[in-house]
Amino acid sequence: MTEFEDISLEEMISDGFDIVTEEINLSDFAETDKNSEQKIFPILPVRNMVMFPNVVIPITAGRKTSIQLLEEAQKNGDFIGIVSQKNSDLEQPSEKDIYTTGTLAKIIKIIKLPEGNITAITKGFHRFKIKKIVDKQPYFKAEISKLKDTRPKNQDEYEALLENIKDLALKIIELDPNIPNAANFAIKNINNNDDLLNFICTNANFSSVAKQKLLEEKSLMIRANQCYEMMHEDFRKLELRSQIHQKTSKDLDKQQREYFLNQQIRTIQEELGGGPESDVEDLIAKAKNKKWSKEVEDHFQKEISRLQRQNPNSPDYNVQRNYLDFFTDLPWETYTKDIFDIAKAEKVLDKAHFGLEDIKKRILEHMAVLKLKNNMKSPILLLVGPPGVGKTSLGKSIADALGRKYVRLSLGGLHDESEIRGHRKTYIGAMAGRILQSIKKSGTSNPVIVLDEIDKIGQGQHGDPSSALLEVLDPEQNKSFYDNFLEMGYDLSKVMFIATANSLSTIQTPLLDRTEIIQIAGYTLEEKIEIAKRHLIKKQQEENGLDAKSFKLGNTELKHIVEAHTSESGVRSLEKRIAAIARWVALQTALVKEYDPKISLEKVDEILGVPRPKSLSEITGVPGVVTGLAWTSVGGDILYIESILSNGKGALTMTGNLGTVMKESATIALEYIKAKHDELGIPQEDLDKKNIHVHVPEGATPKDGPSAGIAMLTSMVSSFKNKKIKPHLAMTGEITLRGKVLPVGGIKEKLLAATRAGIKDVILCEANRKDVEEIKKDYLKDLKVHYVNRMEEVIDIAIEE
């Protein structure tokens, strides 16, 4: 394959390859009968060039096959076919990789170069088309057919067009500083119009594809028109470059003037007692290494000029200096490179967190999209769940998986808007908001920032911080987040924000709308045991100065700790219990007492105290007591609803710190019983002469919501009929006045609470079936769920015969 780099007009002239040269008489190489006699032509593929008829061009060859072709063709006096490669990167082009249209040429002279290369000076004669490749070794040989040019019908128009092309070529030579003035001489000395057109097509700054299209065009008029259009495009680009160059020169003159004026100001300040030279120089030195836009650069120059004009002894000087320090410390357009190894990221997440499949899947999806698109707005994730399930630590794992910096920002108790947006720099003690401070701390503009406890933001006299977060957490707005201290927009769109919350009820609806909510429910018994074995035991051994053999807890002991000594959705209490055991072991070790490293059940109870009772039968083993399922901000829980009858006039009383909705549920339940007493088997006399009292224990805890509706109605029916509720049964659901059961929320948390409490049967609304199907079957393997639509079904299932 021919090693050839595009040699333009100016390079040819500068290298001594003119159209007519004294050293080489081109008339000696005119077309002879040899051309017509020759049937098979060697084909030389070239890169980044297209040869036209009646043009002299040097071709440098480096490969053995190309050198062999050129030397044999010169020795035999053969014409060669020069064709262009479609892809210039190919070292060994095949038949499909070369164009079929080229130019027949004769070798005028071969010049040997160092390192074994040769340069062949060739002259083109005819356009041709390859009919058939007859041989491929050692180089291509082909049968060809000559192509004739179509002469223009209007010769005057053609000549006028060529005059325009000639004038435009001379203008381009004048504008382009890379073309030597000798090119004027070359163009002016070409008298033949066809030769002029071919010469300009060969040496113009067109792409190889464009030149090939010109060569394939048989009409000289069309070829000239196309060449003229492309020359116009090049001319416009050269004009634009020239204008930009002139404008840049003016800007440089302006900068030089400003430089000298600043030097004078500096001299005056030194005469007056010394200026803040070191401050300004330090800031300018820091700014040199910054990647920022022209807008930021202009703002910095404006502020640094303001600092130079101020008296170092004035209070405003320190304000301005602090501002510029912070301005130059920000990482502006500095980003860490994301790691797109999804398999490795999955291992990192699995190693750090057991379970939590939904959030892991979402992070891996985000990484996959980022890998494919390589540019996207980072999502705003809101992890909602009870304490101790790993919401905050997930942020650190996500940062590790992505290879990003990690910053945690605690928002609990925040009650001032300026904590988010910052203060005006003119205030005493002004500083930027926590968002930009976190960016500065991370040293990159695309960290993972965990906004912890976003549901616990307060509202004080100085604005609403949660409202200020609306701009931060909106992917459409945070591209230019405005901080009062910075006084200009900062791009937060590459930051990955992960907010955490225990409850959605205290978060503004517009804020929720800007986030992608991911619910994290509590852990099952099996998951807690696995987490303890993988993480908690090792952590407490390290924190208490113990080795891996100092104490061991088996599955049975861990299960006992979870069931008898904790009652939670997360694993914080479990970790505290394991920490208590670790401290006991540390004490035995310090006192040099012998103990069994295999901690038994009895030893667990001795260390942790009396376990709580497991059975619910004593509580629910009397008529009128029903187990309900409740959702709280710390996960699911069970509650008991009691009712009892007394002599009276059919009055209803309620206690237990109940909210309005819960009281209304009790009223609806009693009215339903009165309306359906015959069907329920309750005498009218009992309804008229018995008062009923409904109580929900733990009276100090406020309770509200409609989900205890079916439990209240079941409790009342149980009291009126004096029949017990089936053991190990719980229920949740809202009721209507006509006895229809409606769906409620928090099903996953409630069912996990039921399994923790040893419940075997749960009654739910039929419409909640889809919520149950989304939960892993392993979580509910010992739980039977009964789906109902009406209260009659609830009573049939719940009350013993």
Side-chain angles (χ1 to χ4, degrees):
M1 217 281 309
T2 300
E3 301 287 342
F4 184 82
E5 293 184 358
D6 192 10
I7 298 181
S8 60
L9 168 67
E10 62 271 16
E11 291 172 317
M12 288 178 59
I13 293 170
S14 63
D15 291 341
F17 301 117
D18 298 323
I19 293 300
V20 179
T21 174
E22 295 178 359
E23 296 180 13
I24 302 170
N25 189 356
L26 296 183
S27 61
D28 295 340
F29 296 91
E31 186 175 11
T32 64
D33 292 339
K34 173 69 178 175
N35 184 359
S36 57
E37 293 173 0
Q38 189 175 344
K39 304 297 181 184
I40 305 299
F41 292 83
I43 302 298
L44 179 68
V46 294
R47 289 190 293 186
N48 299 322
M49 69 157 282
V50 177
M51 187 175 195
F52 284 77
N54 297 323
V55 176
V56 176
I57 266 191
I59 297 175
T60 300
R63 295 293 295 247
K64 291 181 179 179
T65 53
S66 301
I67 294 172
Q68 181 181 350
L69 184 153
L70 291 169
E71 288 178 342
E72 289 181 0
Q74 185 191 36
K75 181 180 178 181
N76 299 330
D78 287 342
F79 281 80
I80 63 173
I82 297 177
V83 294
S84 183
Q85 275 184 224
K86 295 178 181 178
N87 183 353
S88 61
D89 295 331
L90 291 177
E91 291 295 329
Q92 299 290 347
S94 65
E95 184 179 346
K96 296 179 181 179
D97 299 321
I98 60 174
Y99 290 103
T100 56
T101 302
T103 301
L104 278 181
K106 194 73 181 249
I107 301 171
I108 300 172
K109 184 177 182 181
I110 288 181
I111 303 170
K112 292 189 177 181
L113 301 175
E115 300 180 359
N117 297 345
I118 65 170
T119 294
I121 303 172
T122 59
K123 179 187 176 184
F125 283 95
H126 282 292
R127 294 189 307 117
F128 74 88
K129 190 175 184 68
I130 296 175
K131 290 169 64 177
K132 183 174 65 172
I133 299 288
V134 297
D135 194 4
K136 296 182 181 179
Q137 296 298 331
Y139 43 79
F140 291 133
K141 296 176 184 176
E143 293 181 3
I144 67 167
S145 59
K146 293 182 182 179
L147 301 176
K148 291 185 177 180
D149 293 333
T150 303
R151 305 298 307 174
K153 295 179 180 178
N154 190 334
Q155 188 63 28
D156 292 339
E157 182 183 353
Y158 178 64
E159 290 177 358
L161 179 58
L162 263 295
E163 283 296 323
N164 286 344
I165 290 175
K166 187 174 183 179
D167 292 342
L168 190 56
L170 294 174
K171 289 180 182 178
I172 290 173
I173 292 169
E174 289 178 8
L175 277 177
D176 194 340
N178 296 320
I179 301 178
N181 291 330
N184 281 321
F185 174 79
I187 289 178
K188 289 177 180 177
N189 277 277
I190 299 176
N191 297 320
N192 184 289
N193 286 334
D194 297 351
D195 292 349
L196 176 65
L197 177 61
N198 289 333
F199 179 75
I200 289 176
C201 287
T202 302
N203 294 288
N205 191 26
F206 304 153
S207 68
S208 296
V209 176
K211 288 182 179 180
Q212 181 67 28
K213 288 182 179 177
L214 290 174
L215 180 67
E216 292 173 359
E217 179 54 55
K218 63 181 182 179
S219 169
L220 289 173
M221 192 68 186
I222 296 175
R223 189 188 302 172
N225 272 311
Q226 291 176 350
C227 176
Y228 190 48
E229 288 175 4
M230 288 189 283
M231 288 177 69
H232 255 296
E233 186 177 345
D234 283 350
F235 180 66
R236 286 196 298 270
K237 289 179 182 176
L238 284 169
E239 276 189 322
L240 186 59
R241 282 173 55 189
S242 177
Q243 291 171 4
I244 293 171
H245 177 72
Q246 292 174 2
K247 184 179 178 182
T248 306
S249 299
K250 291 179 182 177
D251 290 342
L252 286 173
D253 293 341
K254 182 183 177 183
Q255 288 177 6
Q256 288 173 348
R257 179 173 175 273
E258 290 176 351
Y259 172 76
F260 287 122
L261 288 173
N262 286 328
Q263 287 292 107
Q264 290 176 0
I265 292 173
R266 187 176 299 177
T267 305
I268 293 168
Q269 287 176 339
E270 289 175 355
E271 290 293 329
L272 291 174
E277 294 308 310
S278 59
D279 289 350
V280 175
E281 288 173 0
D282 289 347
L283 291 167
I284 292 175
K286 285 167 68 176
K288 280 184 180 178
N289 300 324
K290 290 292 174 183
K291 299 177 184 177
W292 49 27
S293 63
K294 187 177 184 305
E295 179 188 1
V296 180
E297 172 69 27
D298 292 344
H299 184 82
F300 172 76
Q301 294 298 339
K302 179 182 174 183
E303 295 297 327
I304 202 78
S305 299
R306 184 179 296 172
L307 180 69
Q308 288 174 317
R309 292 195 300 268
Q310 287 176 344
N311 188 333
N313 298 319
S314 70
D316 290 342
Y317 180 84
N318 286 328
V319 171
Q320 187 69 6
R321 171 63 204 264
N322 290 338
Y323 170 75
L324 285 168
D325 270 337
F326 180 78
F327 192 94
T328 51
D329 285 340
L330 283 173
W332 291 100
E333 295 182 18
T334 301
Y335 303 103
T336 55
K337 189 174 181 180
D338 287 334
I339 298 173
F340 295 131
D341 190 342
I342 296 177
K344 182 181 177 183
E346 189 172 13
K347 289 180 181 178
V348 170
L349 293 172
D350 287 339
K351 183 179 179 182
H353 298 272
F354 185 80
L356 306 180
E357 302 302 330
D358 290 343
I359 178 65
K360 290 178 186 176
K361 179 183 174 185
R362 179 64 187 86
I363 297 304
L364 294 177
E365 287 173 352
H366 167 66
M367 291 179 65
V369 175
L370 200 60
K371 181 178 181 179
L372 295 176
K373 193 177 178 186
N374 205 24
N375 179 26
M376 68 174 287
K377 294 174 182 174
S378 290
I380 314 293
L381 303 181
L382 175 56
L383 309 182
V384 184
V389 295
K391 299 186 297 298
T392 305
S393 58
L394 255 173
K396 182 72 171 71
S397 300
I398 292 168
D400 291 341
L402 284 170
R404 293 191 180 191
K405 299 291 185 180
Y406 166 77
V407 183
R408 178 180 164 273
L409 191 59
S410 180
L411 300 179
L414 211 69
H415 56 81
D416 190 346
E417 180 194 354
S418 58
E419 293 282 352
I420 305 296
R421 287 193 178 279
H423 308 79
R424 292 285 181 189
K425 66 180 180 182
T426 52
Y427 294 157
I428 296 173
M431 63 178 65
R434 292 198 183 189
I435 302 295
L436 286 192
Q437 286 183 19
S438 300
I439 297 284
K440 173 189 167 185
K441 179 182 176 183
S442 70
T444 172
S445 289
N446 65 335
V448 173
I449 296 182
V450 174
L451 303 175
D452 219 2
E453 309 293 356
I454 198 171
D455 57 328
K456 296 176 180 61
I457 294 178
Q459 187 169 352
Q461 300 176 354
H462 305 289
D464 182 6
S466 61
S467 297
L469 280 173
L470 293 177
E471 183 184 1
V472 176
L473 300 182
D474 190 339
E476 298 299 327
Q477 296 183 36
N478 64 10
K479 189 172 180 62
S480 57
F481 169 68
Y482 187 87
D483 187 283
N484 292 326
F485 185 78
L486 189 63
E487 293 184 340
M488 67 182 307
Y490 194 90
D491 185 4
L492 300 180
S493 62
K494 304 291 190 303
V495 178
M496 188 171 188
F497 288 102
I498 300 175
T500 72
N502 297 131
S503 170
L504 299 178
S505 59
T506 56
I507 304 177
Q508 289 186 18
T509 304
L511 199 56
L512 289 177
D513 189 52
R514 285 162 165 78
T515 61
E516 184 175 337
I517 300 170
I518 298 177
Q519 294 280 355
I520 302 179
Y523 295 113
T524 61
L525 174 63
E526 291 79 9
E527 286 178 331
K528 289 181 180 180
I529 292 173
E530 198 64 31
I531 290 169
K533 288 164 62 178
R534 292 189 184 191
H535 303 288
L536 303 183
I537 294 176
K538 294 178 183 177
K539 180 181 176 184
Q540 290 307 318
Q541 285 173 341
E542 291 176 3
E543 290 188 357
N544 290 281
L546 304 172
D547 57 32
K549 298 178 181 178
S550 55
F551 74 94
K552 297 178 182 177
L553 290 169
N555 286 2
T556 306
E557 289 74 29
L558 287 171
K559 181 180 178 183
H560 178 68
I561 294 172
V562 172
E563 291 180 335
H565 293 278
T566 66
S567 177
E568 59 171 351
S569 297
V571 290
R572 282 216 179 102
S573 294
L574 175 59
E575 185 176 6
K576 290 175 184 176
R577 303 299 181 270
I578 295 173
I581 296 172
R583 290 194 299 272
W584 180 85
V585 171
L587 178 61
Q588 307 311 306
T589 306
L591 295 173
V592 198
K593 288 186 177 181
E594 292 187 4
Y595 68 95
D596 186 359
K598 181 74 172 65
I599 307 297
S600 63
L601 289 175
E602 293 77 14
K603 185 59 70 175
V604 167
D605 288 340
E606 181 185 328
I607 297 170
L608 301 182
V610 180
R612 61 185 178 85
K614 296 182 182 179
S615 177
L616 297 171
S617 57
E618 295 179 8
I619 303 172
T620 59
V622 294
V625 180
V626 177
T627 305
L629 297 175
W631 182 92
T632 70
S633 61
V634 295
D637 201 359
I638 62 169
L639 53 81
Y640 303 104
I641 295 171
E642 304 174 328
S643 63
I644 194 168
L645 300 179
S646 59
N647 294 327
K649 298 180 180 180
L652 169 66
T653 53
M654 290 166 281
T655 54
N657 202 350
L658 308 183
T660 305
V661 178
M662 210 162 180
K663 289 179 180 178
E664 290 174 352
S665 295
T667 305
I668 292 169
L670 183 57
E671 292 301 321
Y672 175 77
I673 292 171
K674 288 179 180 180
K676 301 283 187 178
H677 67 91
D678 289 335
E679 298 173 18
L680 296 171
I682 300 172
Q684 180 68 45
E685 184 179 356
D686 287 352
L687 295 172
D688 294 338
K689 294 183 179 181
K690 298 286 185 181
N691 291 338
I692 186 162
H693 184 103
V694 178
H695 176 67
V696 183
E698 295 187 31
T701 305
K703 310 168 193 74
D704 201 6
S707 60
I710 65 172
M712 285 184 164
L713 194 148
T714 306
S715 173
M716 291 181 187
V717 172
S718 172
S719 293
F720 277 119
K721 298 182 74 168
N722 197 28
K723 291 184 177 181
K724 292 188 290 185
I725 307 298
K726 289 179 182 178
H728 305 293
L729 173 75
M731 61 187 72
T732 181
E734 183 180 356
I735 59 169
T736 68
L737 200 55
R738 299 186 180 276
K740 183 173 176 59
V741 181
L742 300 180
V744 292
I747 296 299
K748 184 174 183 180
E749 290 84 353
K750 291 176 180 179
L751 293 185
L752 291 177
T755 57
R756 288 198 301 270
I759 301 293
K760 303 297 182 186
D761 295 271
V762 171
I763 299 175
L764 296 177
C765 174
E766 176 66 38
N768 282 125
R769 185 188 291 269
K770 59 179 176 58
D771 299 312
V772 178
E773 289 175 351
E774 291 176 357
I775 306 172
K776 280 188 177 180
K777 292 182 180 179
D778 293 346
Y779 294 178
L780 311 176
K781 60 184 177 182
D782 297 325
L783 198 65
K784 183 177 181 181
V785 182
H786 304 270
Y787 298 103
V788 297
N789 286 310
R790 296 196 55 79
M791 269 313 302
E792 294 90 332
E793 301 172 57
V794 177
I795 293 166
D796 289 342
I797 296 169
I799 297 180
E800 290 185 338
E801 292 299 327

